[in-house]
Amino acid sequence: MRYGHFDDQNREYVIETPETPLPWINYLGSESYFGLISNTAGGYSFYKDARLRRLTRYRYNNAPLDTGGRYIYLRDNDPNSARSWSPTWMPTRTPLDFYECRHGMGYTSIRSRLAGIESQTRYFVPLGENLEIWELTLTNQRDQPASLSVFSAIEFNLWDAMDDATNFQRNYSIGQVEVVDGVIYHKTEYRERRDHFAYFACSEKLAGFDTQRDDFLGSYRGWDSPKVVESGQSADSITHGWQPIGSHHVKVQLKAGEQKKIIFILGYHENSKDDKFDPPESQTINKRTVLPVISKYLLADQVEKAFEALRVHWLGLLDKYQVVTPDEHTNRMVNIWNAYQTMITFNMSRSASYFESGIGRGMGFRDSTQDLLGFVHLIPERARERILDLAATQLETGGAYHQYQPLTKRGNNDVGSGFNDDPLWLVLAVTAYVKETGDWSILNEQVPYDNKPGSEEALHGHLQRSIQYTLDRLGPHGLPLIGRADWNDCLNLNCFSDTPGQSFQTTTNKEGKVAESVFIAGLFVLAAKEMAGLCEKLEGKGEKQDHNFSLLTSHFYLEKAAKMESTIWQHGWDGDWFRRAYDDFSHVLGSKENDEGKIFIEPQGICVMAGLGVEDGRAQKAMNSVAEHLATPHGIVLQQPAFSKYYLHLGEISSYPPGYKENAGIFCHTNPWIMVSEAKLGNGDKAHDYYSRINPSAREEISDLHRCEPYIYAQMIAGKDAATHGEAKNSWLTGTAAWNYVAISQWILGVRPTYDGLQVAPVVPSAWKNFEVTRSYRGVRYVIQIERKGMGNEVQLEVDGKSINGNIIPLPVENKKEVHVRVTIN
Ligand code: BGC
Ligand code: NOJ
């Protein structure tokens, strides 16, 4: 069953009923000001950091679901009617005659009709601004005049979302606002150490306003039946403590057929410390600095311009990789939604979604480094900045903070470091960046360790230390020590926690000198080979590198990779698949010897991606084992058999009921590793089959089972051991976005950047006869037409009419803006 449909032309998903199985959401904002918005206008906004700088309140895990948002109420002032409703359905849930929500690239538009009054609200954040626009268009479709009241409503957050939700003895006394010329300014704590405030403005003359929640709602009422909306009269309340809100009241008379636009803007503004107040000795906000921006965006033509600029911006971004294949689900995900989701994960990491509260996690080190793999071609300059920010949270040991806070860009001490895979991902991010851009200068950027001034070293040195970090931490079998956990945050082999509430991620009750990870070993081989490739190029360029440390050679890395490979074959290979780990007792995990957890997906993917066994049939064996033991129609589960009870020596993985999350759920992030591996082995049908199983668009028809949004990936789909097999959870913020993008665009469609140019090596389904890729790369547009002539994967390339050797399109001469490539698959 579907709850909507794709509008590919407009790059939108159209939701046809407000009662989706879960709130189906979208994101607003591109750089600093962000918001989450559901299909019924639920959600909240923040500036840069969902924990430390939250603008509006939202209560997670609420009943009814998804209460709190960007609300508008309409009231029919005709004394015979006096009915009121929410044009976005929530929070009044009044049945509507018509409802439609369109989630698009950086905007959401909700249209509805009740009793002949049509309303459409378009929500978006203009590029480069710290504000959001709600553009409401009302149309009177009756043949009578209509007299309406419009009420807006948001609830302000007192900035620190954690404190806001817990510290009531203080919070009930600090709320402050100013209301001047119809603009509501939220200024809690502005009088002391904050130099920022929020504002909520409206384009119309007000009939009233409210800033005190109780006066608007009534003490014992909810957002579904505000007292003020019922009576049709605002209280003009000024909050002193308690719960500051913002509500405008506008009265509108519409002739039959008449239409009217009303604009609301909600924004964030900072003043310089010495210019906070006006007059300077007062406690009144200096508004001179913000008024120009407010008046600009209250004008309908400016709003239209800003919306058009956002549309063009996204067209340009998506245009960087476009494909036409025989499969509409592939086309739609590659051309629109998967690329879009990689941008969202780049912006949010794992901080704020409808499953991540925005309080618990900042920017993850391994998360953001992997997100970059799918994002880098969209806006390379921002990828560059992110790489340098991440590297600055590395420690001198080469290890890294597991997370950092986006507002401060400082490593998070609560979580700390010791996740031994973390630093290796940085190598993959940097090499992907250089292959995309050819910007070798990034390797010479001076970056501190732990953000400490004076500790700066060239980025290349950071990468060396990333590799050395693993080499310095090898266990009894010569495999890398796992530390707190590797990619699988829940495989906590040194934790041994028997105390409820202890964090699996930060509790370490064993020394950590024994438990080893085959996964990190595979990742190490992959990263070391990448370093070798990078160094080989640098050596070839013969450029003098001016560093205060000595550069290791490509030879060094190849040797280390080879040594690790042989260790994996010796201790990490189980005969039919790669093993997973050795625990604190040096017992194997992920082996035929185990009763539960015999085979895990992660080492199969990472080792084959690193090239192990590709030549000698063992990689194919591992893939056959994946197909036999782990694959389901809904995707590939993380491991089998699921852990049926809690194992002290394994940690959080066995804390989940079988079939959920890391305990044998379909942890989607890992599925593309198998797709890439199958592609590496030349199995195009298999690779694309796995791709389709978790492709959200291909699952649209089973939305009642899948339940999450059909336009973006979720972190997990319940596995075959779960009662709800096929049900997705934790949508949006997952490494699945970037990795699926890499798998489909670079390995299945096969167009991937290298240091020397674009490589074209498709491994596609045998039934595909033709397809076309357009890819912008280093300022050149490549139009690539691919035709299948034989049943293999061998390609022959003709570049601008001339056939070339190999499958890498040489970098074109300067000033050439477009290159045409004909590819035959033989
Ligand atoms: C989840 C993991 C996640 C970790 C982060 C665990 O509860 O299952 O997927 O990585 O928390 O702290
Ligand atoms: C989600 C975390 O964000 C990610 O870092 C981790 O690799 C996976 N969970 C698997 O545990």
Side-chain angles (χ1 to χ4, degrees):
M1 182 189 167
R2 295 195 282 103
Y3 296 85
H5 62 271
F6 286 93
D7 178 347
D8 294 337
Q9 203 64 41
N10 289 308
R11 293 165 298 280
E12 292 172 333
Y13 190 78
V14 187
I15 303 170
E16 294 156 5
T17 164
E19 291 182 81
T20 43
L22 293 164
W24 285 1
I25 76 159
N26 193 14
Y27 284 82
L28 310 176
S30 308
E31 277 182 57
S32 300
Y33 185 102
F34 296 107
L36 288 72
I37 182 161
S38 73
N39 56 316
T40 58
Y44 59 93
S45 301
F46 57 93
Y47 174 74
K48 284 190 180 169
D49 191 318
R51 172 169 181 162
L52 298 177
R53 211 49 63 93
R54 200 177 292 203
L55 265 79
T56 56
R57 274 195 182 142
Y58 184 81
R59 290 174 190 79
Y60 277 87
N61 204 2
N62 216 339
L65 266 184
D66 195 27
T67 307
R70 302 172 181 82
Y71 291 145
I72 287 173
Y73 300 86
L74 296 181
R75 183 179 193 277
D76 190 343
N77 289 332
D78 178 344
N80 298 324
S81 155
R83 71 199 287 189
S84 56
W85 71 97
S86 305
T88 58
W89 192 64
M90 280 291 272
T92 67
R93 298 194 302 284
T94 315
L96 298 162
D97 296 340
F98 170 82
Y99 160 94
E100 180 184 277
C101 167
R102 288 179 174 259
H103 284 316
M105 307 286 106
Y107 67 90
T108 286
S109 180
I110 304 176
R111 190 155 70 91
S112 71
R113 190 174 55 245
L114 184 67
I117 303 298
E118 185 178 278
S119 92
Q120 172 163 14
T121 318
R122 189 159 72 169
Y123 300 92
F124 72 100
V125 175
L127 291 170
E129 301 289 3
N130 294 324
L131 60 91
E132 66 187 61
I133 292 174
W134 315 358
E135 183 195 41
L136 169 68
T137 309
L138 287 173
T139 314
N140 177 12
Q141 297 179 343
R142 301 173 182 167
D143 43 20
Q144 304 287 324
S147 162
L148 304 171
S149 276
V150 179
F151 296 91
S152 63
I154 48 152
E155 186 172 6
F156 289 111
N157 191 295
L158 309 185
W159 308 117
D160 179 329
M162 180 67 174
D163 200 66
D164 184 77
T166 49
N167 191 7
F168 305 112
Q169 60 82 22
R170 169 177 167 82
N171 292 343
Y172 284 174
S173 293
I174 61 175
Q176 285 192 310
V177 294
E178 287 176 31
V179 182
V180 182
D181 296 334
V183 183
I184 296 167
Y185 297 87
H186 174 230
K187 62 167 194 177
T188 300
E189 293 188 344
Y190 188 75
R191 55 190 302 286
E192 31 123 348
R193 290 158 298 174
R194 295 189 184 272
D195 34 37
H196 55 86
F197 57 88
Y199 56 88
F200 191 31
C202 172
S203 59
E204 306 305 302
K205 193 174 158 301
L206 300 189
F209 65 85
D210 275 288
T211 68
Q212 170 70 267
R213 194 181 72 193
D214 270 7
D215 286 312
F216 180 71
L217 295 181
S219 293
Y220 290 95
R221 289 170 175 238
W223 293 97
D224 55 345
S225 61
K227 188 170 82 177
V228 159
V229 177
E230 191 177 285
S231 70
Q233 198 51 61
S234 292
D236 293 350
S237 57
I238 295 288
T239 203
H240 299 283
W242 297 115
Q243 294 87 4
I245 64 157
S247 171
H248 308 97
H249 177 196
V250 178
K251 287 198 167 150
V252 191
Q253 312 297 328
L254 290 178
K255 293 194 213 88
E258 194 183 345
Q259 190 172 73
K260 182 171 177 63
K261 267 191 205 301
I262 301 177
I263 298 159
F264 298 96
I265 56 181
L266 171 64
Y268 169 89
H269 191 75
E270 286 176 0
N271 272 337
S272 69
K273 274 204 186 325
D274 47 15
D275 200 17
K276 274 171 68 165
F277 301 111
D278 185 17
E281 326 67 58
S282 76
Q283 292 288 294
T284 313
I285 300 177
N286 169 10
K287 306 175 185 74
R288 279 174 285 119
T289 51
V290 74
L291 283 173
V293 131
I294 297 183
S295 29
K296 175 173 176 189
Y297 288 103
L298 289 177
L299 301 174
D301 59 331
Q302 291 292 342
V303 169
E304 200 48 48
K305 259 196 207 155
F307 186 77
E308 182 55 18
L310 181 67
R311 204 185 61 83
V312 169
H313 172 73
W314 267 105
L315 264 185
L317 292 179
L318 297 180
D319 198 46
K320 300 202 166 173
Y321 196 126
Q322 288 289 303
V323 70
V324 186
T325 77
D327 178 43
E328 67 163 346
H329 304 298
T330 302
N331 298 345
R332 172 181 290 152
M333 290 312 287
V334 173
N335 295 342
I336 307 169
W337 293 100
N338 196 176
Y340 183 60
Q341 192 180 357
T342 63
M343 168 71 90
I344 304 298
T345 57
F346 172 82
N347 281 333
M348 301 284 136
S349 194
R350 306 294 171 270
S351 65
S353 73
Y354 265 33
F355 300 88
E356 297 284 359
S357 66
I359 291 177
R361 296 209 257 170
M363 311 292 281
F365 193 92
R366 80 157 83 87
D367 297 322
S368 291
T369 38
Q370 290 173 84
D371 293 343
L372 283 164
L373 304 177
F375 169 83
V376 60
H377 72 295
L378 289 179
I379 313 183
E381 306 73 47
R382 291 190 68 202
R384 188 182 209 272
E385 185 191 347
R386 176 63 48 78
I387 287 171
L388 300 177
D389 287 348
L390 283 161
T393 67
Q394 234 184 331
L395 306 168
E396 292 191 17
T397 58
Y401 277 102
H402 196 47
Q403 288 160 13
Y404 77 84
Q405 218 46 51
L407 192 69
T408 61
K409 295 189 176 176
R410 294 293 184 272
N412 180 335
N413 276 315
D414 299 340
V415 187
S417 68
F419 296 78
N420 284 352
D421 63 316
D422 271 336
L424 293 171
W425 297 108
L426 182 65
V427 174
L428 303 197
V430 173
T431 50
Y433 170 80
V434 180
K435 287 176 193 171
E436 178 67 38
T437 58
D439 170 19
W440 291 87
S441 76
I442 193 172
L443 295 171
N444 292 324
E445 284 292 337
Q446 294 293 312
V447 186
Y449 290 97
D450 195 5
N451 279 294
K452 290 211 177 78
S455 67
E456 288 80 4
E457 185 173 85
L459 181 64
H460 195 136
H462 284 250
L463 301 184
Q464 284 196 179
R465 292 196 196 200
S466 291
I467 295 284
Q468 193 58 41
Y469 180 84
T470 306
L471 295 173
D472 290 345
R473 286 166 186 75
L474 299 178
H477 297 90
L479 291 163
L481 293 173
I482 195 167
R484 292 199 148 136
D486 58 24
W487 173 88
N488 191 329
D489 261 326
C490 298
L491 198 55
N492 318 116
L493 303 182
N494 299 303
C495 180
F496 288 83
S497 174
D498 56 10
T499 308
Q502 264 180 350
S503 158
F504 287 108
Q505 266 80 51
T506 58
T507 306
T508 302
N509 287 320
K510 289 286 162 147
E511 262 187 315
K513 290 192 176 151
V514 183
E516 300 163 289
S517 163
V518 178
F519 176 82
I520 300 183
L523 178 60
F524 176 86
V525 175
L526 185 60
K529 286 182 178 173
E530 284 295 341
M531 280 308 282
L534 183 91
C535 291
E536 202 182 293
K537 282 290 150 199
L538 276 174
E539 288 153 15
K541 286 158 90 78
E543 267 173 35
K544 226 181 94 48
Q545 303 275 321
D546 209 2
H547 295 315
N548 50 358
F549 56 88
S550 58
L551 281 188
L552 298 169
T553 60
S554 55
H555 179 73
F556 169 87
Y557 292 112
L558 287 177
E559 212 174 61
K560 296 296 174 198
K563 178 135 191 278
M564 189 65 82
E565 280 196 37
S566 82
T567 308
I568 296 177
W569 289 126
Q570 210 183 338
H571 299 292
W573 177 248
D574 205 57
D576 287 312
W577 59 75
F578 293 97
R579 299 174 161 181
R580 181 63 177 85
Y582 285 89
D583 65 21
D584 186 60
F585 309 101
S586 250
H587 292 152
V588 70
L589 181 67
S591 154
K592 291 184 186 108
E593 289 173 29
N594 299 101
D595 295 331
E596 299 187 332
K598 281 180 195 289
I599 171 169
F600 283 70
I601 191 174
E602 309 101 298
Q604 319 314 323
I606 207 78
C607 290
V608 177
M609 289 200 296
L612 274 91
V614 171
E615 304 296 329
D616 65 16
R618 283 182 286 186
Q620 186 58 56
K621 238 184 186 183
M623 289 302 113
N624 295 345
S625 300
V626 167
E628 185 182 340
H629 302 288
L630 302 178
T632 82
H634 296 292
I636 311 167
V637 300
L638 195 142
Q639 51 100 354
Q640 279 291 291
F643 298 113
S644 59
K645 56 178 192 236
Y646 178 57
Y647 293 99
L648 191 65
H649 67 291
L650 298 182
E652 184 168 3
I653 190 164
S654 60
S655 76
Y656 286 111
Y660 293 98
K661 297 280 281 184
E662 282 86 342
N663 188 11
I666 296 156
F667 214 96
C668 297
H669 184 143
T670 59
N671 280 221
W673 297 343
I674 302 300
M675 300 167 205
V676 175
S677 300
E678 291 284 9
K680 269 196 155 222
L681 293 170
N683 306 325
D685 283 318
K686 200 79 198 149
H688 195 264
D689 177 15
Y690 286 142
Y691 173 74
S692 301
R693 293 187 202 195
I694 64 166
N695 181 328
S697 161
R699 297 173 63 77
E700 188 196 17
E701 291 295 339
I702 52 164
S703 286
D704 40 343
L705 172 65
H706 184 81
R707 301 188 79 218
C708 281
E709 297 92 331
Y711 39 93
I712 46 102
Y713 288 96
Q715 181 200 59
M716 186 211 42
I717 298 174
K720 57 186 173 185
D721 303 282
T724 55
H725 184 33
E727 179 193 43
K729 255 183 220 154
N730 299 14
S731 56
W732 282 98
L733 302 186
T734 162
T736 315
W739 273 107
N740 259 295
Y741 195 80
V742 168
I744 186 70
S745 67
Q746 298 190 18
W747 293 93
I748 299 178
L749 300 170
V751 178
R752 58 179 172 265
T754 73
Y755 297 119
D756 304 319
L758 263 193
Q759 187 168 25
V760 186
V763 184
V764 294
S766 46
W768 288 16
K769 298 297 173 232
N770 299 287
F771 69 100
E772 183 180 314
V773 174
T774 327
R775 172 69 150 91
S776 295
Y777 176 67
R778 303 196 194 178
V780 180
R781 198 173 160 80
Y782 292 83
V783 182
I784 308 170
Q785 266 155 334
I786 300 130
E787 191 184 348
R788 180 188 284 291
K789 292 244 168 90
M791 292 319 282
N793 297 304
E794 288 292 306
V795 293
Q796 176 59 48
L797 267 58
E798 220 178 69
V799 179
D800 283 333
K802 285 199 203 96
S803 73
I804 62 155
N805 287 330
N807 60 11
I808 298 181
I809 311 166
L811 292 170
V813 287
E814 247 172 86
N815 297 328
K816 188 146 194 174
K817 285 285 154 235
E818 190 160 305
V819 170
H820 288 261
V821 186
R822 288 190 155 280
V823 180
T824 46
I825 307 180
N826 298 305

